[in-house]
Amino acid sequence: PYTQDWFLGVANLRGGLAGVIDLARFLGASPVRTEQAMTETSLLALNSALELNAALLIDRLAGLRGTTAFEACEPPPENAPALFGNVYRDGAGVRWQELDLQALSQNPAFLGISA
């Protein structure tokens, strides 16, 4: 209670406490979070270099890829949030949105979890 709807609480990750943020909900989506759906999500902890004890709840993790794994790159849309980086296309034509986690970690809305 008394927090934004995208702040889900605190989790113990490898012995450290981290605030859990539903990234999709923070970005304005309204995903249905049933108990079954929650069992298929993952927590992605932010690097300690960002000086923020937070983890992002994500629907699925597709692995890490370098820019060489993509065939095309375009800048983010004009009205995109500041944390959106470039948009990449893989060999199958699937679009991948880059997120600037440092910009996210400094975003006042992200840091202000109180409702």
Side-chain angles (χ1 to χ4, degrees):
Y2 309 112
T3 63
Q4 298 290 339
D5 67 342
W6 45 262
F7 184 77
L8 301 179
V10 179
N12 183 338
L13 301 175
R14 292 179 233 110
L17 295 178
V20 178
I21 291 89
D22 184 332
L23 183 61
R25 192 165 284 173
F26 176 78
L27 293 174
S30 298
V32 176
R33 298 284 187 211
T34 64
E35 191 172 325
Q36 175 63 31
M38 289 297 282
T39 64
E40 298 172 5
T41 61
S42 297
L43 292 179
L44 180 66
L46 297 183
N47 189 303
S48 61
L50 296 174
E51 298 180 351
L52 190 64
N53 292 337
L56 304 175
L57 178 82
I58 54 175
D59 292 327
R60 65 188 161 124
L61 190 59
L64 299 175
R65 299 177 184 173
T67 55
T68 57
F70 299 96
E71 294 183 351
C73 175
E74 56 194 62
E78 275 186 40
N79 57 350
L83 63 112
F84 278 24
N86 293 324
V87 176
Y88 294 90
R89 262 185 223 285
D90 65 15
V94 176
R95 293 170 41 99
W96 295 82
Q97 177 64 61
E98 177 183 41
L99 295 179
D100 182 343
L101 296 179
Q102 184 170 13
L104 176 65
S105 72
Q106 297 170 355
N107 182 317
F110 184 76
L111 296 173
I113 63 168
S114 62

